[in-house]
Amino acid sequence: MNKPHDFDLPAGIRRDLCAPEEWQVRVELAAAYRLADRFGWSMLIFNHITARVPGADEHFLINNFGLMYDEITASNLLKIDLDGNVVGDYRGETRVNRAGYVIHSAVHAARHDVQCVMHTHSVAGEAVASIEPGLLHINQDSMQLTGQVAYHDFEGLAVDDAEKRSLVADLGDRNVLILRNHGLMTAGSSVGEAFMLMWLLEHACRTQVAALSMGQPLHGSQDMLTRIANLVPQQQYVITPTGLGGLPFRSLLRWLDRHDSSYRD
C-alpha cells in the first residue's frame, strides 16, 4: 500500500468567510503565483509572494508552505499576522515558510504604502545579484527601473528576525531590491504593480546576462546611458498612465483565465 503524502490536503478557507475586498486580493495574488510559475520564476515549493489584507494593516496573505506555485488558489492562501500567526478558520494543515515570514513581515510592517511583496530566485536574477555591478541600466527595460533599485547584502538564509532591520533600511523608499548572492524582490501598491515590476526586472536581468555573454563591448557612452536612463521613468507614464499594475496586469489575468482559471477557486 502506498503511504499517504505528507501534504495531501492543503488548507482552505471558504469564500463566504472573506470580505469581497479580501477575496479579490486573494484572486490576484493566486494569479501572481500561477503566472510566476508559467514564466519560469518558481523554485519548487520555495519563495513567496504576499499581499496585505484590505482593511487589516497587520494581516497579509502568503502561500501555504508545501504547495507548488501551480497549486496555489485564492482559498488556500494563508492569512497571517505580523508575528507569523495564522489568522482564520482553515480546513487542513497550515505551514508558513520561515524565510517568507521574515522577509515579507519586515516590509509590510515598515512600508504601509506597499500592498504586495514578490520574491524570486530565477537563474538570471541570482546571476545579476551575484556580480559586483549588479543591475546595469543598459537597455530600455532596466532603464525603466532607474532610481528604484536598492541592494541588500547576503546574511545567510533569511530565517533570523535580526535581518528585518537591515533589509528594511536597505530597501528604504524604493520598490526594487536586489538581494546580493540571493535573488530579487519587488514591492508595489498593488499585486499587479509588484508583479509587473518583477516582470521588468526579470526581463532586464535576462537581457543583461545575454548581452554580457556575447563578449562584446556594450553600446553607448556612460554619460549617454545615464542621461537617457534618468529620462525613461518619466516617459514610462506616457505609455501606461494608470501604472504598470493596470492594463498590463489585467491582460495577464485574461491570458491566465484562457489557460487555467482554477486559481480563482
Side-chain angles (χ1 to χ4, degrees):
M1 179 181 294
N2 293 328
K3 294 177 65 175
H5 293 295
D6 188 35
F7 202 73
D8 273 336
L9 182 62
I13 194 167
R14 299 203 318 264
R15 179 172 182 172
D16 61 346
L17 296 178
C18 301
E21 297 81 6
E22 177 183 331
W23 190 259
Q24 180 59 34
V25 172
R26 283 176 171 272
V27 168
E28 292 177 4
L29 184 57
Y33 276 100
R34 297 294 188 95
L35 289 166
D37 184 68
R38 286 177 174 265
F39 285 136
W41 303 343
S42 58
M43 189 179 184
L44 302 179
I45 63 172
F46 304 101
N47 297 339
H48 9 82
I49 316 171
T50 59
R52 196 186 303 274
V53 176
D57 217 29
E58 71 282 6
H59 295 160
F60 62 94
L61 302 168
I62 192 170
N63 54 316
N64 197 358
F65 187 49
L67 296 179
M68 299 187 77
Y69 275 26
D70 65 353
E71 296 178 294
I72 302 296
T73 67
S75 63
N76 67 33
L77 287 161
L78 300 183
K79 184 194 304 186
I80 67 174
D81 62 24
L82 294 175
D83 293 320
N85 302 307
V86 176
V87 178
D89 183 18
Y90 285 89
R91 306 181 307 274
E93 189 174 3
T94 61
R95 296 178 180 174
V96 177
N97 183 330
R98 173 68 184 173
Y101 159 72
V102 169
I103 293 172
H104 293 258
S105 65
V107 179
H108 285 299
R111 290 280 303 275
H112 297 285
D113 59 315
V114 168
Q115 299 302 311
C116 180
V117 180
M118 186 167 185
H119 174 50
T120 63
H121 282 183
S122 70
V123 173
E126 287 196 47
V128 169
S130 300
I131 63 172
E132 190 58 38
L135 184 68
L136 301 175
H137 298 285
I138 56 174
N139 57 66
Q140 180 170 278
D141 299 308
S142 58
M143 288 181 185
Q144 292 181 64
L145 300 173
T146 302
Q148 297 190 59
V149 183
Y151 292 85
H152 175 65
D153 282 339
F154 189 55
E155 299 183 26
L157 299 182
V159 296
D160 190 341
D161 281 338
E163 189 172 355
K164 291 182 180 182
R165 182 177 297 179
S166 60
L167 189 149
V168 167
D170 289 335
L171 177 63
D173 61 357
R174 301 190 179 191
N175 290 325
V176 175
L177 185 66
I178 294 181
L179 298 103
R180 291 292 195 178
N181 313 99
H182 181 175
L184 308 175
M185 192 187 84
T186 57
S189 61
S190 65
V191 174
E193 183 177 71
F195 186 90
M196 293 309 302
L197 280 173
M198 184 61 76
W199 187 93
L200 267 180
L201 181 58
E202 286 280 358
H203 197 268
C205 287
R206 292 197 305 274
T207 302
Q208 178 173 320
V209 170
L212 295 179
S213 73
M214 299 171 70
Q216 299 296 318
L218 297 174
H219 177 72
S221 68
Q222 187 59 56
D223 286 346
M224 182 275 286
L225 290 173
T226 299
R227 178 175 58 82
I228 298 299
N230 288 328
L231 179 64
V232 167
Q234 303 167 41
Q235 297 174 324
Q236 182 185 64
Y237 288 99
V238 176
I239 306 299
T240 53
T242 59
L244 285 173
L247 286 175
F249 188 66
R250 292 203 296 273
S251 73
L252 285 173
L253 293 182
R254 294 194 303 272
W255 177 82
L256 187 58
D257 282 334
R258 291 195 296 272
H259 291 82
D260 181 6
S261 62
S262 64
Y263 70 94
R264 294 180 175 272
D265 296 340

